[in-house]
C-alpha cells in the first residue's frame, strides 16, 4: 500500500466495486459524450470474474471516493513454449480533479504501483493495449510502453468472398465444446506467441459476456473438431460490419467456416466482413486470396515487455485477433 498525500494506492479488494464503478462512469462520461454507463454485471465480468485472475490497482481518497484505477484483463499465453500471462491494459481512469495529486500524476503513480504488483519476474510477461492518443502519450512517456504496430484490417463484402471447398461441416453453437482444448493445444505451437483459447477462457469471453451476444460456429470432420469462428455485428472503424472476433482452425475447417461467415453477414444485414490478423499470420495472405483486401484502421498497438524480448519482437510473432482485446 502507498499513500500519496490525500490518496491511498493499493490493489483492489472486495467491497471496492460500487465506488469504482461510480467513478469509472464519471471519468469516461467526462471525455466521451456517447459513453453508456456500465452495469455492475459487466464491470464484475470484465475485472473480477476473469478465469485468468484480477489486475486492478486502485486509488482512494480519504473520504472513500475512488479517484483512479489502473486495470488490465489478463490472459494465459504461450511464449515460445513457456506458459506465461499477457495482460491488456484497459478501463483505466483518473478523475480530473485528482490528476495533480503529488509531484507525479496520480494516474502515473497508480500505473507504477500496478507494475510493481503484477509484472516482471514471476508476473505478467507482456502488457499491451490499443490506447487512445492521450493514454498512448502518457504510457510512452511515463510507463515504459512502446509503439508496436499500426493495426490494419481485412474487409470484404460477402458476395466477393470465395470459400474453398471443404470436407468439414460448420454448425452454430451456444458454447464451446470440450474438444476445443485439444484443438488449442494442437495449433498453438504454430505461433511463437499466442493467447489461450481453451473452453474455460472462450466461454467466459464470449458465451457468458453479459453485454454482447456473439455468434459462435464450430467445424467438424468425421466427428472431430477442426476449427471455430466467433463473430459479432457492430460498428467498427466507422461502419457497421460483421466483425470476426476470433478464428482458430485447421485447413479442413477453413472453407466451411468462411461460408458460414458469409451467411452470417447476410443474415445480419451488413455490407462487409472485417477481421484483424498480424501481417505474418497465414490467415493474412489466405484471406486476401479469398477476396478480402487490406484497409487501414485508427488503432495503434502499444506494449511493454517484461522479458528479454523487445516490444517489437511481438509485432511479427504474436498471433492476435480482435477478440484478444476488448474491441469487439
Amino acid at each position: 500500500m502507498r499513500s500519496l498525500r490525500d490518496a491511498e494506492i493499493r490493489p483492489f479488494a472486495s467491497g471496492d466495486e460500487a465506488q469504482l464503478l461510480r467513478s469509472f462512469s464519471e471519468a469516461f462520461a467526462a471525455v466521451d459524450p456517447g459513453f453508456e454507463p456500465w452495469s455492475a454485471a459487466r464491470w464484475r465480468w470484465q475485472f473480477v470474474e476473469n478465469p485468468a485472475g484480477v489486475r486492478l490497482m486502485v486509488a482512494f481518497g480519504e473520504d472513500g471516493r475512488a479517484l483512479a484505477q489502473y486495470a488490465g484483463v489478463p490472459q494465459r499465453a504461450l511464449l515460445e513454449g513457456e506458459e506465461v500471462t499477457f495482460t491488456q491494459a484497459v478501463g483505466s481512469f483518473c478523475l480530473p480533479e485528482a490528476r495533480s495529486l503529488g509531484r507525479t500524476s496520480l494516474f502515473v503513480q497508480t500505473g507504477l504501483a500496478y507494475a510493481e504488483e503484477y509484472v516482471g519476474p514471476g508476473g505478467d510477461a507482456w502488457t499491451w493495449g490499443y490506447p487512445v492518443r492521450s493514454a498512448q502519450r502518457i504510457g510512452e512517456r511515463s510507463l515504459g510502453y512502446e509503439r508496436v504496430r499500426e493495426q490494419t484490417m481485412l474487409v470484404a463484402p460477402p458476395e466477393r468472398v470465395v470459400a474453398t471447398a471443404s470436407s468439414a461441416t460448420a454448425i452454430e453453437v451456444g458454447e464451446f465444446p470440450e474438444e476445443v482444448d485439444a484443438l488449442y493445444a494442437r495449433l498453438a505451437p504454430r505461433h511463437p506467441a499466442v493467447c489461450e483459447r481453451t473452453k474455460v477462457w472462450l466461454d467466459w469471453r464470449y458465451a457468458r459476456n453479459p453485454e454482447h451476444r456473439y455468434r459462435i460456429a464450430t467445424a467438424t470432420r468425421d466427428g472431430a473438431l477442426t476449427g471455430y469462428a466467433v463473430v459479432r455485428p457492430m460498428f467498427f472503424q466507422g461502419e457497421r460490419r460483421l466483425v470476426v472476433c476470433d478464428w482458430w482452425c485447421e485447413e479442413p475447417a477453413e472453407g466451411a467456416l468462411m461460408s458460414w461467415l458469409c451467411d452470417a453477414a447476410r443474415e445480419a444485414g451488413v455490407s462487409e466482413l472485417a477481421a484483424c490478423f498480424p501481417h505474418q499470420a497465414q490467415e493474412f495472405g489466405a484471406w486476401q486470396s479469398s477476396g478480402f483486401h487490406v484497409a487501414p484502421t485508427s488503432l495503434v498497438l502499444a506494449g511493454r515487455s517484461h522479458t528479454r524480448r523487445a516490444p517489437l519482437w511481438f509485432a511479427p510473432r504474436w498471433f492476435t485477433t480482435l477478440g484478444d482485446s476488448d474491441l469487439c
Side-chain angles (χ1 to χ4, degrees), residues 10-327:
R10 57 168 174 77
F12 165 83
S14 178
D16 291 340
E17 294 95 330
Q19 284 292 336
L20 286 169
L21 180 58
R22 188 176 296 112
S23 294
F24 178 92
S25 297
E26 181 182 342
F28 281 95
V31 297
D32 180 4
F35 174 77
E36 296 183 4
W38 284 25
S39 66
R42 180 180 181 183
W43 194 94
R44 286 193 302 271
W45 172 85
Q46 179 84 82
F47 297 119
V48 180
E49 297 173 356
N50 184 336
V54 175
R55 298 291 187 275
L56 273 176
M57 187 64 60
V58 298
F60 279 84
E62 291 181 335
D63 59 358
R65 187 183 186 203
L67 302 176
Q69 167 182 288
Y70 199 94
V73 177
Q75 190 171 1
R76 285 181 281 269
L78 282 178
L79 181 58
E80 295 189 302
E82 179 186 0
E83 294 184 357
V84 297
T85 300
F86 292 173
T87 295
Q88 182 194 8
V90 61
S92 300
F93 71 85
C94 183
L95 294 181
E97 64 268 28
R99 289 173 185 164
S100 61
L101 284 176
R103 287 179 293 178
T104 305
S105 77
L106 181 60
F107 181 79
V108 170
Q109 286 291 330
T110 308
L112 293 173
Y114 174 100
E116 288 183 8
E117 181 74 16
Y118 297 117
V119 306
D124 297 347
W126 170 244
T127 51
W128 65 282
Y130 288 111
V132 297
R133 190 61 57 87
S134 59
Q136 182 183 345
R137 288 195 298 267
I138 294 171
E140 292 176 356
R141 183 176 64 243
S142 304
L143 297 172
Y145 285 83
E146 295 182 27
R147 184 188 185 99
V148 175
R149 68 167 180 250
E150 294 184 0
Q151 183 67 59
T152 60
M153 62 180 175
L154 296 169
V155 295
E159 62 271 15
R160 282 184 45 190
V161 176
V162 179
T164 58
S166 174
S167 57
T169 301
I171 61 170
E172 191 160 343
V173 296
E175 62 179 34
F176 292 84
E178 298 288 346
E179 293 82 4
V180 77
D181 288 10
L183 180 69
Y184 166 66
R186 197 160 65 242
L187 301 187
R190 295 181 177 183
H191 309 287
V194 63
C195 288
E196 177 185 35
R197 282 162 166 80
T198 62
K199 177 176 172 58
V200 168
W201 169 266
L202 293 169
D203 279 347
W204 170 80
R205 175 63 179 86
Y206 301 111
R208 297 205 303 274
N209 189 306
E211 296 291 324
H212 305 304
R213 182 181 180 274
Y214 299 89
R215 297 184 65 179
I216 304 164
T218 58
T220 58
R221 185 178 66 171
D222 299 328
L225 182 70
T226 58
Y228 71 78
V230 182
V231 299
R232 177 187 160 207
M234 59 179 287
F235 279 94
F236 180 67
Q237 293 296 300
E239 294 187 27
R240 190 171 183 271
R241 298 178 162 105
L242 186 74
V243 172
V244 181
C245 303
D246 204 4
W247 174 270
W248 188 255
C249 64
E250 298 174 295
E251 185 175 331
E254 292 175 352
L257 288 174
M258 191 65 75
S259 293
W260 178 82
L261 290 182
C262 294
D263 289 342
R266 285 186 281 266
E267 291 169 13
V270 300
S271 59
E272 276 191 335
L273 287 151
C276 292
F277 298 108
H279 289 187
Q280 287 75 14
Q282 178 269 338
E283 290 83 356
F284 189 77
W287 283 43
Q288 290 179 70
S289 298
S290 295
F292 287 78
H293 69 271
V294 182
T297 76
S298 62
L299 304 171
V300 174
L301 177 65
R304 181 182 179 186
S305 176
H306 311 289
T307 74
R308 56 180 172 78
R309 302 164 187 85
L312 286 177
W313 181 94
F314 290 86
R317 297 175 177 87
W318 178 29
F319 178 82
T320 57
T321 61
L322 279 172
D324 288 314
S325 75
D326 68 329
L327 295 178

